[in-house]
């Protein structure tokens, strides 16, 4: 076999990821009938629970076609827990998600018409040690650390509960493959066996000195009825590029193995809980997490191992790197994956027909591509070349046949959709539309007002893996009008530097919006303010960026009326938008402060205009008009005009389809020929 970490940027959240769970995606056309496993496990959803109490549901894909259609929304951040989420468990037969927090709260989520909602809530006030669905998905086993255990139905009805009096805590609980018994592991190395009705059957001591961390079977977590028919979903089916040739059906003749992990790092493979001669695996790892693949022939064991001591420092600390070891059903070591991760791996899970292994370590998420068969020379060459290239765009520079270039590019196709924005190309990410049809859902946060920077700061975050990725930052520049300047969410004021040495530190540090990038505008900018703004805003700490050094439209209108003859009545002219030109902009200040755009408004806050400040953006970025009736008798109307911006050429700087005259200071100054549609 062969395993390698997927190439690409580091995937991470803004807080520590504590648990993982993956399920296959059921096509809409097959939700009421047996599904085709080959297609069912090519796409799926990854659930993550983090330290901020947010559950992330992110779309994943293992096929290598870039033009494959994806769901319209590919990431959900589910909020509702008041403490860190420690357990997430999918129920594939019923398409539900169970989540548990550190305070003992249990939520069962269900998706309906593209939205997630809480179906069931259970809060006993005690910490949950484990939550496990039965193999048919109809029952749930909940075990608490204080010895209380409960079995309920998928609809929330309690079947039975029991209080187990022990001197130690219950650490885990699982169902037997036939769902007729439940097993509980304790911190003092004992296994408690009960039947499906709550009667005590056995009490076995497995280890006197080591506690039990987890228990599992080399058996599929859920028994989903298979269909030999091909998928009938709208997406075109393509054969898988990696992984097993077909999804393996468990062989009924092979008896499942009970796997028990101990605190010492040893793992016991047992035929049953009363096996007197189990196979013991000496992993040599600490803080071990284990999981069998779905087909039950490969056991992944992740943990920390001590390495050589630092030679530069006397009596320095020992360097520890996370490792993943793979074993077969006989306990034989098959493969070792060395990683550069120096933090413990807290959770792992298999996905995509056992062709992917997902690992969580701190705020980072790693995807491992696993080849179960003997690795081919072509695959080894692909991984070696991809490691040397580092980026997908460098593949075209190689003098290779097109077919080999296409095969080499598949090594850079990410499994997690969407991939996190590249910190070096964040401006392109926020300025130009993406190639796909997916929607990017964001969250905006406001920080405390800081008089040194001239107004409140707002940061726009992209929802990703249960966390938030800062993509834009805004600051209000006027006290009277809702006017803002939009900039890069950088932690410094230098335009040529990237966000930081690591993506994780950038995401954790950039949440503070009142940093060094929020500096005051220069005196040259403040000198270009119109007389109207100079009268309205007396504070020098609230400068306003002016598009052009000009007179206020109201002052110009007053001057025109004074020059008219009183005997010659004239029709009030329509006041259009001022000319939007770049020659008045001090580009050095725009580059230094990372300004991208400005949002201007009239005094009533009913008309807004978006003006590009950066050199690579068009001048006219859009307009928003908001209309209400006098007594609110008619429905409110809001018209948004956004011209399409593409990274093609500078011909799009002045788009002919955008009419800047739709913006004016007065409500009745709109041109008569301007047509707006909702």
């Amino acid at each position: 076999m062969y395993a390698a970490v997927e190439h690409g940027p580091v995937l991470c959240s803004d807080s520590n990821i504590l648990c993982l769970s993956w399920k296959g995606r059921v096509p809409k056309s097959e939700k009421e009938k047996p599904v085709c496993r080959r297609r069912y496990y090519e796409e799926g959803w990854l659930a993550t629970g983090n330290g901020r109490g947010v559950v992330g549901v992110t779309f994943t894909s293992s096929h290598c076609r870039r033009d494959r259609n994806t769901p319209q929304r590919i990431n959900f951040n589910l909020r509702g827990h008041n403490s860190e989420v420690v357990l997430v468990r999918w129920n594939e037969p019923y398409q539900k998600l169970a989540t548990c927090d550190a305070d003992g709260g249990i939520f069962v989520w269900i998706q309906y018409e593209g939205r997630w909602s809480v179906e069931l809530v259970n809060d006993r006030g005690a910490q949950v040690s484990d939550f496990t669905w039965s193999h048919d998905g109809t029952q749930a086993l909940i075990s608490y650390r204080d010895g209380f255990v409960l079995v309920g139905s998928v609809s929330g009805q309690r079947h039975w509960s029991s209080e187990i009096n022990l001197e130690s805590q219950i650490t885990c609980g699982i169902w037997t493959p036939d769902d007729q018994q439940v097993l509980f592991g304790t911190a003092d190395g004992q296994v408690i066996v009960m039947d499906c009705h709550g009667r005590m059957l056995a009490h076995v001591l497995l280890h006197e000195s080591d506690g039990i961390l987890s228990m599992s079977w080399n058996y599929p977590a859920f028994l989903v009825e298979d269909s030999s028919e091909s998928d009938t979903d709208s997406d075109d089916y393509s054969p898988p590029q990696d992984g097993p040739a077909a999804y393996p059906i468990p062989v009924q003749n092979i008896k499942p193995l009970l796997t028990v992990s101990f605190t010492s790092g040893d793992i016991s493979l047992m035929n049953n809980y009363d096996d007197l001669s189990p196979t013991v695996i000496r992993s040599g790892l600490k803080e071990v997490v284990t999981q069998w693949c779905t087909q039950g022939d490969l056991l992944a064991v992740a943990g920390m191992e001590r390495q050589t001591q630092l030679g530069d420092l006397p009596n320095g600390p020992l360097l520890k790197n996370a490792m993943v070891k793979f074993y077969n059903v006989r306990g034989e070591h098959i493969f070792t994956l060395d990683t550069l991760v120096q933090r413990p791996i807290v959770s792992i899970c298999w996905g995509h027909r056992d062709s992917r292994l997902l690992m969580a370590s701190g705020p980072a998420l790693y995807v491992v591509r696993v080849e179960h068969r003997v690795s081919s020379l072509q695959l080894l060459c692909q991984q070696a070349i991809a490691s040397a290239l580092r980026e997908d765009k460098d593949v075209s520079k190689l003098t290779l046949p097109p077919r080999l270039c296409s095969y080499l590019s598949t090594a850079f196709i990410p499994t997690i959709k969407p991939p996190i924005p590249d910190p070096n190309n964040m401006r392109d990410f926020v300025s130009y539309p993406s190639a796909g049809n997916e929607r990017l859902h964001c969250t905006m946060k406001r920080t405390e007002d800081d008089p040194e920077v001239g107004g409140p700061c707002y940061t726009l975050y992209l929802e990703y893996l249960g966390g938030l990725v800062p993509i834009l930052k805004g600051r209000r520049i006027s006290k009277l009008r809702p006017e803002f300047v939009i900039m890069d969410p950088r932690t410094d004021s230098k335009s040529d530097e990237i966000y930081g040495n690591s993506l994780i530190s950038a995401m954790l540090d950039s949440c503070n919006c009142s940093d060094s990038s929020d500096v005051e505008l220069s005196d040259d900018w403040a000198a270009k303010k119109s007389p109207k703004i100079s009268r309205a805003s007396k504070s020098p700490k609230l400068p306003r960026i002016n598009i052009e050094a000009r007179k206020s439209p109201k002052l110009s209108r007053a001057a025109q009326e004074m020059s008219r003859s009183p005997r010659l009545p004239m029709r009030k002219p329509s006041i259009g938008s001022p000319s939007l030109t770049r020659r008045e902009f001090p580009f050095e200040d725009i580059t230094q402060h990372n300004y991208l755009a400005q949002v201007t408004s009239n005094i009533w806050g009913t008309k807004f205009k978006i003006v590009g400040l950066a050199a690579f953006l068009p001048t006219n970025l859009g307009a928003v008009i908001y209309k209400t009736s006098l007594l609110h008798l008619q429905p409110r109307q809001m018209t948004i005009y956004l011209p399409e911006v593409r990274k093609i050429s500078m011909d799009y700087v002045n788009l002919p389809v955008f009419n800047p005259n739709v913006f004016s200071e007065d409500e009745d100054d709109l041109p008569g020929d301007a047509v707006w549609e909702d």
Side-chain angles (χ1 to χ4, degrees):
M1 65 160 294
Y2 181 79
V5 179
E6 194 171 76
H7 300 280
V10 179
L11 308 175
C12 61
S13 180
D14 58 353
S15 60
N16 291 337
I17 300 176
L18 304 179
C19 48
L20 300 174
S21 182
W22 186 90
K23 80 170 184 71
R25 179 194 178 197
V26 179
K28 293 182 179 180
S29 59
E30 297 191 350
K31 285 190 175 181
E32 302 299 333
K33 62 180 181 180
V35 298
C36 179
R37 288 183 184 270
R38 177 185 293 271
R39 170 64 187 279
Y40 179 41
Y41 283 90
E42 278 192 358
E43 298 176 349
W45 296 93
L46 174 66
T48 61
N50 60 27
R52 294 192 176 183
V54 181
V55 179
V57 180
T58 307
F59 179 72
T60 63
S61 174
S62 63
H63 52 68
C64 299
R65 292 180 54 184
R66 294 181 181 272
D67 57 347
R68 189 72 169 266
N69 294 332
T70 59
Q72 194 172 31
R73 183 170 181 178
I74 50 184
N75 187 87
F76 298 86
N77 280 10
L78 310 182
R79 299 175 177 88
H81 290 281
N82 297 325
S83 59
E84 58 185 14
V85 180
V86 295
L87 289 174
V88 288
R89 296 289 187 269
W90 282 110
N91 187 333
E92 293 191 24
Y94 289 87
Q95 297 295 298
K96 296 182 179 182
L97 175 64
T99 59
C100 308
D101 58 33
D103 294 336
I106 302 175
F107 290 1
V108 177
W109 306 78
I110 188 171
Q111 187 180 24
Y112 180 73
E113 294 184 353
R115 294 186 177 183
W116 285 92
S117 59
V118 178
E119 184 184 40
L120 298 173
V121 177
N122 182 16
D123 190 357
R124 183 175 167 268
Q127 189 174 3
V128 179
S129 60
D130 204 353
F131 185 103
T132 308
W133 295 102
S134 60
H135 292 82
D136 58 0
T138 59
Q139 300 181 88
L141 172 63
I142 308 173
S143 56
Y144 294 86
R145 292 192 178 274
D146 59 359
F148 184 80
V149 295
L150 181 146
V151 172
S153 67
V154 68
S155 59
Q157 299 177 355
R158 177 180 295 192
H159 289 175
W160 60 269
S161 61
S162 178
E163 186 79 25
I164 303 177
N165 297 322
L166 295 173
E167 297 180 357
S168 61
Q169 297 179 345
I170 295 179
T171 58
C172 57
I174 60 171
W175 294 85
T176 54
D178 56 1
D179 293 336
Q180 296 301 313
Q181 296 177 357
V182 291
L183 309 179
F184 301 99
T186 64
D188 57 358
Q190 300 183 58
V191 173
I192 302 172
V193 185
M194 304 177 70
D195 64 2
C196 59
H197 302 290
R199 291 187 295 266
M200 184 72 66
L201 298 180
H203 207 137
V204 182
L205 178 62
L206 297 184
H207 209 293
E208 295 181 355
S209 58
D210 287 343
I212 297 177
L213 291 178
S214 63
M215 296 189 299
S216 61
W217 299 88
N218 64 334
Y219 195 79
F222 297 100
L223 300 178
V224 182
E225 186 179 357
D226 195 9
S227 173
S228 58
E229 299 177 359
S230 60
D231 182 33
T232 57
D233 198 61
S234 59
D235 297 342
D236 296 333
Y237 170 75
S238 61
Q241 302 294 330
D242 51 8
Y247 187 86
I249 303 299
V251 181
Q252 302 297 331
N253 297 330
I254 300 178
K255 190 175 182 179
L257 291 176
L258 174 62
T259 305
V260 183
S261 302
F262 296 95
T263 55
S264 61
D266 296 342
I267 302 168
S268 296
L269 304 182
M270 311 171 64
N271 294 324
N272 205 347
Y273 62 86
D274 55 357
D275 191 356
L276 299 179
S277 58
T279 302
V280 180
I281 299 176
R282 310 290 182 182
S283 64
L285 304 177
K286 294 184 178 181
E287 302 177 6
V288 170
V289 288
T290 63
Q291 190 176 41
W292 284 98
C293 67
T294 311
Q295 55 186 322
D297 64 340
L298 201 60
L299 176 65
V301 180
M304 303 293 293
E305 185 178 24
R306 295 182 180 179
Q307 289 189 348
T308 57
Q309 194 172 4
L310 289 174
D312 300 336
L313 300 177
N315 299 327
L318 296 178
L319 289 178
K320 299 180 180 179
N321 285 352
M323 302 179 63
V324 183
K325 296 184 178 182
F326 298 90
Y327 299 88
N328 59 14
V329 293
R330 294 180 297 273
E332 301 172 351
H333 179 251
I334 302 298
F335 187 82
T336 299
L337 175 64
D338 296 323
T339 66
L340 300 178
V341 182
Q342 296 185 359
R343 302 185 64 174
I345 297 177
V346 295
S347 180
I348 62 174
C349 70
W350 292 87
H352 297 289
R353 297 168 43 245
D354 300 334
S355 64
R356 300 291 189 274
L357 180 65
L358 303 131
M359 306 185 305
S361 175
L365 177 67
Y366 300 91
V367 181
V368 178
R369 297 194 179 189
V370 181
E371 176 69 30
H372 291 249
R373 299 166 293 187
V374 178
S375 56
S376 62
L377 181 60
Q378 188 178 22
L379 175 62
L380 297 177
C381 293
Q382 179 202 48
Q383 294 297 321
I385 298 175
S387 301
L389 293 179
R390 297 292 182 183
E391 293 184 3
D392 188 13
K393 61 182 180 180
D394 297 334
V395 176
S396 59
K397 301 178 182 179
L398 302 178
T399 56
L400 294 175
R403 184 175 180 180
L404 292 181
C405 288
S406 177
Y407 176 73
L408 185 58
S409 300
T410 59
F412 295 94
I413 298 179
T415 300
I416 306 295
K417 312 290 184 179
I420 196 169
D422 188 359
N424 299 322
N425 297 324
M426 184 63 74
R427 284 196 170 189
D428 291 347
F429 179 80
V430 300
S431 302
Y432 305 108
S434 59
N437 60 348
E438 64 272 4
R439 293 181 179 180
L440 302 179
H441 289 253
C442 302
T443 298
M444 182 177 293
K445 288 186 178 181
R446 173 180 175 174
T447 59
E448 297 295 332
D449 298 351
D450 191 350
E452 296 182 358
V453 300
C457 294
Y458 301 84
T459 303
L460 185 67
Y461 297 91
L462 174 66
E463 296 184 356
Y464 184 79
L465 288 177
L468 300 175
V469 181
I471 57 176
L472 284 176
K473 182 186 294 184
R475 188 179 73 243
R476 188 168 181 173
I477 56 177
S478 174
K479 284 187 175 180
L480 297 181
R481 305 186 183 196
E483 298 186 346
F484 304 85
V485 60
I486 302 174
M487 65 195 76
D488 282 350
R490 304 196 177 189
T491 56
D492 53 7
S493 59
K494 298 179 181 180
S495 61
D496 297 332
E497 294 183 1
I498 62 175
Y499 292 97
N501 296 330
S502 66
L503 185 58
I504 300 177
S505 61
M507 294 176 60
L508 296 178
D509 297 339
S510 60
C511 294
N512 183 11
C513 300
S514 301
D515 49 22
S516 59
S517 64
D518 294 332
V519 295
E520 286 193 15
L521 301 179
S522 61
D523 296 337
D524 297 337
W525 284 74
K528 291 183 174 61
K529 294 189 294 183
S530 63
K532 179 178 179 180
I533 300 302
S534 300
R535 292 196 311 270
S537 179
K538 299 296 183 180
S539 175
K541 297 180 180 180
L542 298 174
R544 177 174 180 263
I545 303 177
N546 237 2
I547 304 303
E548 182 183 5
R550 59 180 177 84
K551 294 182 179 180
S552 173
K554 287 189 176 295
L555 295 180
S556 301
R557 187 185 302 113
Q560 292 176 4
E561 292 179 355
M562 292 177 59
S563 61
R564 300 174 190 164
S565 173
R567 299 181 180 179
L568 297 176
M570 299 180 63
R571 184 179 180 272
K572 182 180 179 181
S574 175
I575 305 298
S577 174
S579 174
L580 303 178
T581 177
R582 295 181 181 273
R583 62 178 179 270
E584 301 294 338
F585 284 111
F587 289 103
E588 295 80 3
D589 291 347
I590 294 178
T591 305
Q592 179 182 1
H593 303 314
N594 302 324
Y595 295 141
L596 297 179
Q598 180 194 9
V599 180
T600 60
S601 168
N602 59 358
I603 193 65
W604 298 279
T606 58
K607 299 180 182 180
F608 300 86
K609 181 169 54 178
I610 307 173
V611 181
L613 300 181
F616 58 89
L617 289 177
T619 303
N620 306 319
L621 290 178
V624 178
I625 295 182
Y626 182 78
K627 293 184 178 180
T628 59
S629 61
L630 181 61
L631 300 178
H632 298 280
L633 300 178
Q634 299 294 331
R636 292 171 291 183
Q637 299 179 359
M638 183 174 63
T639 305
I640 302 176
Y641 195 96
L642 294 176
E644 186 176 6
V645 180
R646 292 190 177 275
K647 190 177 182 181
I648 300 178
S649 63
M650 293 303 294
D651 298 337
Y652 285 84
V653 171
N654 292 317
L655 295 173
V657 296
F658 178 74
N659 182 14
N661 293 327
V662 300
F663 179 88
S664 61
E665 292 287 343
D666 295 334
E667 285 286 341
D668 56 351
D669 285 344
L670 283 176
D673 55 349
V675 179
W676 294 86
E677 297 180 358
D678 291 338

